[in-house]
Amino acid sequence: MLTNENGNLLERVGDLEKKVYEQNDEILCLRSTVADVLRRISNIERSANRAFSASPLHFTTSRQLRVCPTNSDPTCGSRDWKRVNTGNSIQVNGHHSNLNKNRRVHHQSTGSLHSVDSHSSNGLSSPSPSSSPYRISPSLSPRHYNQQQRNGINTTGTNGNIPSLATKRWNSTTDFTTNTSTFSAKSGMALRNDTTARSLFHLHVKTPHTRHGTKDATFNREDGTIRVFLRGRPINLYLPISVVENYSLSRVATAPIAKLRLEWVYGYRGRDCRSNLHYLPTGELIYFMAAVVILYNVEEQHQRHYLGHNDDVKSLAVHPNKLIVATGQCAGHDKREGKAHVRIWNSISLLTLHIIGLGDFERSICCLSFSKADGGTLLCVIDESSEHSISVWDWQKSEKGLKLAENKCSGDTVVAMEFHPLDKNSVISCGKGHVSFWTFEGCVLYKKLGIFDSREKAKYITCLAFSGTGDVLSGDSNGNILIWARGTNVVARIIRGVHDGPIFSIFALKDGEIISGGGKDGRLLKWDSELTKAELETVIPEQYGPIRVITEGRGSQLLVGTTKNGILAGSFQLPFQQIVQGHTDELWGLAKHSEQQQFITGGHDKMIILWDALSHTPIWSLEFDEQIQSTTFSPDGQVIVVGTLLGHWFAISAETREILSHHNDGSEPIQVVRFSPDGKMLAIGSRDNIIYIYQVTESYRKYNRIGRCSGHSSFITHLDWSEDSTFLQSNSGDYELLYWNASVCRQIPQSSQLRDTEWDSLTSTLTAVTIGVWPENADGTDVNACDRSHDKKLLATGDDFGKVKLYTYPVTQPKV
């Protein structure tokens, strides 16, 4: 105990000493900066007086400098400001001039002075002490004026006046702002900014709009740096020396020769979708996951994919000919086809035949059904607007189809809708507290509500099916089956207590027998065609989850989709086996094995799954008590480290699933975990803005914390080790790129020293060699992940728009 207390005491004393040194550095920064600013003001006055002494321009004084006393509050909202009259308001022929609105830097001090060549990712740069921050241009041609207008430089005020000088504001010891200007007048004179990056701090001016992405990127050939903007924040990045000599912002990067092809989709969406599993005559299962519709041949272990959608698919219907498929999607990001709509396509060729409803639907499409009695000439659609609009379409009329009728379906949730198989132009829908019987006549939809015995009415009508005689069968949330006589809206018979809990699916087999599936009890019941008695029964194992949908496979085989996003195949005679498995909540952890064709996934469903990439099947799965946020393999692939949402992380044997070690670093999520290439250290990036470094011994079984890398002002998003296991580079949620000496847990402020470092991995999205992955108007959240190929020739990214993109590495050109 005494040893532990002494260790804690020494650590606290060390932290206090570090804070004292940081405060001394801040005071030194404050003194030098104020002196530098006063000297600049004097230089500005002298140069301006010399330049304009012989011109008709007249100068008066009215500019003030506002200085924040400390850097503890970057906004200095409640503190007093020191005001210094700098005497620099410009009058041109009687008109006042404002300096051009430029940019403002926000940078949190790391507690140490930056060297002259230190450009950190927060955009810290400085003008030279020896040069005047403004230069007088002897002339301003119309071409130069127009160019300034295109670059966003405001050359005139609101009434034709040239704007007045803006106010300076100093936000912290490493965040100083000033004003630069470009103006024009009849005399043809212009005042331009001519600052360079040679002193401690760069003077900038706040812009009226926030700059995003690489559109306004600039290149400094002298330092070999490129500057981009994310959410208005300037980011300075050092290019490798080998790139600088022939670098040009105008050059467009070449596209890679290699192409991406989707090979396999793991998982199935059964948790919140219904009627989304069918068996096609081709021997393929058809279902969807995310924005992909999967056609899976289980016997041949082969998948085909329909990729026409640009956002999540929510509903699916198969035409009576079993060849045409309709799928409905959510509203997405795409400007042209990003609204909720339905795509009708051929399941053999995977070619899109029709796109209907662009601009007609809201939110997403929850239910789809082809007409059956007339051979499938009509398509009925229900969207997820507040009133769940129901519409009938002649889908073969032109490429966009023709809407024949529309009506309001229900203000409550709608879960199922089907065309009647025998009665033409008859549609039945159900949902929360209702069953609706629709008739389509003369381009009008008429509705009759189902009549319940008020004492027997369940909260939800959960599913629909049809008997061989045309009666409507519905299951409810109380476990009852309701039989509605054909052509009526009245319950003819109720079979009570069929299942313990809701009935999520009823399916009519080809021979007329009925299958019902319980959502809570997991029981499958096979009924005769009259629903007089249950002939057979089987139970789905609890670990697979409640039954969501039932469909008929080849022969006597049944296919069952579950709410745990799995698909099972079996029968009443043979046990059910899982043929598709997936996570049931957001997937956050993903890591590949270094030597074998395996990868690990972890999600907020508290599950980690080890997958075989060759057979496309899970090797094993393990459930935790906490939600999983991150995963990684040890260099030899024998140990898996898993980070959780509550700050815990575990080391697990990849062979036995035994927990080898358990640690806790704070209470925030562990965002990223990464072993050093030599396997001797482990970096843990947390949402508490800290990177924890551990020493690894005893074949990845023992972990001793070396220290903490503290300097980021936001949560850690990405980590990469250098090939020699000495340095770390890290990105954070506020678009910082920082470098660290891992063995001593110290930040390296001189970014230029590591510009040519070889990195073992490249998952950090914000670096000099990944600058081209950011769109022109990126706001910093667009690109979520990236990784480099083993041969260092390609870079792949995943973004907010659901797209995986491939680039030629390195991606140093803003234009790709």
Side-chain angles (χ1 to χ4, degrees):
M1 293 179 59
L2 291 175
T3 303
N4 292 335
E5 291 180 359
N6 290 337
N8 293 334
L9 181 60
L10 291 174
E11 185 176 355
R12 292 174 60 188
V13 170
D15 289 340
L16 290 173
E17 291 178 348
K18 181 180 177 181
K19 290 181 180 179
V20 170
Y21 289 133
E22 289 176 351
Q23 290 175 356
N24 289 336
D25 287 344
E26 298 293 347
I27 293 173
L28 179 61
C29 289
L30 177 64
R31 290 175 177 173
S32 61
T33 303
V34 171
D36 188 47
V37 169
L38 295 176
R39 180 191 51 74
R40 290 169 184 275
I41 294 170
S42 178
N43 289 342
I44 292 170
E45 291 177 345
R46 288 197 298 269
S47 61
N49 290 333
R50 286 195 302 268
F52 292 101
S53 58
S55 72
L57 305 178
H58 176 65
F59 294 85
T60 60
T61 63
S62 65
R63 187 171 65 159
Q64 290 183 331
L65 172 70
R66 297 194 295 171
V67 181
C68 177
T70 73
N71 73 323
S72 59
D73 182 2
T75 58
C76 296
S78 60
R79 298 180 182 274
D80 295 333
W81 292 91
K82 296 181 181 180
R83 301 184 178 271
V84 182
N85 191 342
T86 61
N88 272 341
S89 144
I90 303 177
Q91 237 183 14
V92 184
N93 294 335
H95 298 289
H96 286 278
S97 167
N98 269 348
L99 288 180
N100 150 26
K101 298 178 178 68
N102 202 336
R103 299 177 286 274
R104 185 172 67 180
V105 177
H106 291 280
H107 174 67
Q108 181 171 350
S109 172
T110 59
S112 62
L113 284 174
H114 293 258
S115 68
V116 171
D117 69 337
S118 172
H119 284 249
S120 69
S121 67
N122 54 20
L124 184 65
S125 57
S126 327
S128 170
S130 62
S131 64
S132 170
Y134 302 113
R135 181 177 69 242
I136 304 303
S137 175
S139 64
L140 186 66
S141 67
R143 180 174 62 85
H144 290 151
Y145 179 84
N146 293 334
Q147 181 64 36
Q148 290 178 0
Q149 292 281 19
R150 287 194 297 270
N151 292 338
I153 300 176
N154 185 15
T155 55
T156 58
T158 55
N159 298 319
N161 296 336
I162 298 173
S164 61
L165 285 170
T167 303
K168 291 183 181 178
R169 180 171 179 176
W170 183 26
N171 285 332
S172 73
T173 59
T174 52
D175 180 2
F176 195 84
T177 59
T178 189
N179 302 318
T180 59
S181 128
T182 305
F183 68 91
S184 70
K186 294 180 180 179
S187 62
M189 302 298 292
L191 188 62
R192 296 183 178 178
N193 179 25
D194 190 28
T195 59
T196 58
R198 286 303 177 204
S199 68
L200 278 173
F201 303 101
H202 197 345
L203 302 180
H204 290 292
V205 175
K206 185 166 58 178
T207 56
H209 64 280
T210 301
R211 296 191 178 188
H212 292 320
T214 58
K215 184 177 181 180
D216 298 316
T218 57
F219 174 57
N220 186 328
R221 186 170 299 278
E222 182 180 355
D223 293 332
T225 59
I226 184 171
R227 168 175 288 192
V228 296
F229 299 87
L230 293 178
R231 286 194 180 275
R233 180 174 187 167
I235 313 293
N236 284 341
L237 301 169
Y238 277 92
L239 292 169
I241 293 297
S242 59
V243 175
V244 172
E245 183 177 354
N246 299 318
Y247 188 79
S248 172
L249 285 175
S250 61
R251 185 179 296 115
V252 178
T254 57
I257 299 176
K259 302 294 182 182
L260 289 172
R261 181 179 63 86
L262 182 59
E263 179 185 4
W264 203 266
V265 176
Y266 297 80
Y268 154 79
R269 186 166 184 170
R271 183 182 183 185
D272 59 349
C273 294
R274 294 169 169 82
S275 301
N276 61 346
L277 176 62
H278 297 268
Y279 184 79
L280 299 179
T282 57
E284 296 170 309
L285 310 184
I286 181 171
Y287 55 96
F288 55 76
M289 185 69 184
V292 181
V293 185
I294 302 116
L295 297 95
Y296 175 31
N297 190 312
V298 180
E299 293 183 358
E300 297 179 3
Q301 282 295 298
H302 176 71
Q303 284 186 355
R304 295 188 298 139
H305 308 101
Y306 176 71
L307 303 173
H309 289 280
N310 51 48
D311 212 283
D312 286 1
V313 180
K314 291 293 294 291
S315 54
L316 181 151
V318 177
H319 193 273
N321 66 13
K322 301 295 183 180
L323 296 177
I324 305 300
V325 178
T327 45
Q329 73 161 64
C330 302
H333 301 281
D334 191 275
K335 293 181 180 179
R336 186 170 60 89
E337 296 182 351
K339 298 180 180 179
H341 65 273
V342 178
R343 288 178 175 264
I344 302 171
W345 47 281
N346 188 301
S347 63
I348 303 299
S349 64
L350 301 180
L351 295 178
T352 301
L353 306 177
H354 305 273
I355 301 175
I356 67 172
L358 277 172
D360 290 283
F361 305 124
E362 294 184 26
R363 299 181 185 175
S364 67
I365 310 300
C366 64
C367 298
L368 286 172
S369 180
F370 284 102
S371 59
K372 299 173 179 62
D374 60 359
T377 59
L378 302 178
L379 178 69
C380 191
V381 184
I382 298 180
D383 68 7
E384 289 191 331
S385 61
S386 58
E387 295 179 332
H388 291 86
S389 297
I390 181 172
S391 55
V392 176
W393 296 74
D394 184 347
W395 60 272
Q396 299 177 85
K397 277 287 190 194
S398 76
E399 293 183 356
K400 298 181 179 180
L402 176 64
K403 183 161 62 175
L404 303 177
E406 184 175 15
N407 204 338
K408 298 175 182 177
C409 184
S410 173
D412 294 318
T413 304
V414 178
V415 299
M417 178 270 296
E418 292 287 344
F419 265 101
H420 197 286
L422 302 178
D423 296 339
K424 188 178 180 179
N425 298 337
S426 177
V427 179
I428 296 89
S429 64
C430 68
K432 184 177 180 180
H434 75 274
V435 174
S436 300
F437 297 83
W438 301 87
T439 303
F440 170 58
E441 291 181 358
C443 296
V444 178
L445 275 168
Y446 300 97
K447 179 172 73 170
K448 289 183 180 180
L449 286 174
I451 300 174
F452 296 87
D453 184 339
S454 59
R455 293 172 297 177
E456 302 293 338
K457 184 177 180 180
K459 185 176 181 180
Y460 278 90
I461 306 300
T462 53
C463 57
L464 291 172
F466 300 91
S467 69
T469 59
D471 293 340
V472 179
L473 312 177
S474 65
D476 67 20
S477 54
N478 293 337
N480 306 320
I481 294 180
L482 286 71
I483 304 172
W484 309 75
R486 179 178 175 181
T488 72
N489 63 331
V490 179
V491 177
R493 184 158 63 101
I494 300 178
I495 307 175
R496 294 182 174 87
V498 175
H499 290 276
D500 180 15
I503 301 173
F504 282 152
S505 184
I506 300 176
F507 184 78
L509 300 175
K510 296 174 183 177
D511 59 7
E513 293 179 313
I514 307 297
I515 306 292
S516 65
K520 183 178 180 181
D521 58 15
R523 294 163 61 224
L524 277 176
L525 300 179
K526 186 176 183 179
W527 301 77
D528 59 24
S529 59
E530 301 297 328
L531 284 168
T532 56
K533 63 176 181 178
E535 299 175 341
L536 295 172
E537 177 180 343
T538 188
V539 178
I540 301 298
E542 185 178 356
Q543 69 265 24
Y544 297 138
I547 298 168
R548 171 63 77 193
V549 60
I550 306 168
T551 192
E552 195 171 10
R554 175 173 296 178
S556 62
Q557 186 185 61
L558 293 177
L559 301 169
V560 176
T562 72
T563 59
K564 283 193 173 182
N565 293 347
I567 298 177
L568 312 176
S571 67
F572 287 97
Q573 292 76 32
L574 298 175
F576 280 84
Q577 301 291 331
Q578 191 167 48
I579 56 176
V580 175
Q581 181 177 349
H583 287 275
T584 59
D585 209 334
E586 293 184 8
L587 180 65
W588 281 89
L590 173 64
K592 64 182 184 300
H593 197 286
S594 58
E595 299 175 356
Q596 301 180 25
Q597 295 292 319
Q598 297 176 359
F599 62 95
I600 188 82
T601 58
H604 286 181
D605 57 359
K606 304 179 182 179
M607 294 285 294
I608 62 169
I609 304 175
L610 180 64
W611 302 87
D612 183 350
L614 295 178
S615 64
H616 310 296
T617 56
I619 300 172
W620 54 254
S621 60
L622 183 63
E623 186 171 4
F624 284 79
D625 294 330
E626 300 177 20
Q627 294 176 314
I628 308 302
Q629 187 72 15
S630 54
T631 58
T632 193
F633 276 100
S634 61
D636 63 1
Q638 297 301 309
V639 173
I640 298 168
V641 172
V642 176
T644 73
L645 210 60
L646 300 179
H648 297 267
W649 61 271
F650 303 85
I652 305 164
S653 170
E655 294 183 358
T656 65
R657 287 176 277 179
E658 174 191 0
I659 296 179
L660 306 176
S661 186
H662 172 214
H663 297 264
N664 182 28
D665 287 309
S667 59
E668 296 292 322
I670 303 298
Q671 295 287 104
V672 56
V673 287
R674 191 83 65 204
F675 279 98
S676 62
D678 61 10
K680 295 181 179 179
M681 286 187 285
L682 174 68
I684 307 289
S686 173
R687 202 172 179 85
D688 63 7
N689 309 352
I690 296 173
I691 302 171
Y692 300 89
I693 306 296
Y694 281 81
Q695 183 185 28
V696 183
T697 56
E698 298 182 10
S699 300
Y700 308 104
R701 290 177 174 269
K702 187 175 181 180
Y703 300 84
N704 296 314
R705 193 166 82 181
I706 298 174
R708 307 185 308 169
C709 297
S710 177
H712 276 293
S713 53
S714 186
F715 58 91
I716 312 301
T717 58
H718 304 89
L719 285 175
D720 291 298
W721 285 91
S722 61
E723 289 186 351
D724 60 4
S725 301
T726 302
F727 304 109
L728 275 172
Q729 68 177 0
S730 57
N731 287 166
S732 64
D734 61 349
Y735 329 120
E736 284 182 322
L737 170 62
L738 299 184
Y739 298 95
W740 312 87
N741 187 324
S743 60
V744 294
C745 300
R746 294 287 184 182
Q747 183 185 345
I748 302 174
Q750 292 82 12
S751 305
S752 59
Q753 295 180 1
L754 300 180
R755 67 196 310 165
D756 292 317
T757 301
E758 294 293 334
W759 299 99
D760 181 65
S761 63
L762 193 65
T763 62
S764 299
T765 57
L766 183 59
T767 67
V769 292
T770 60
I771 197 64
V773 307
W774 295 93
E776 283 192 350
N777 297 313
D779 66 356
T781 63
D782 296 326
V783 182
N784 300 318
C786 74
D787 201 4
R788 184 186 59 195
S789 63
H790 294 295
D791 59 6
K792 300 183 180 181
K793 293 181 179 180
L794 299 172
L795 184 80
T797 65
D799 60 29
D800 266 355
F801 310 107
K803 295 180 180 179
V804 178
K805 298 179 180 179
L806 196 64
Y807 300 87
T808 301
Y809 180 83
V811 198
T812 55
Q813 297 295 143
K815 297 179 181 180
V816 294

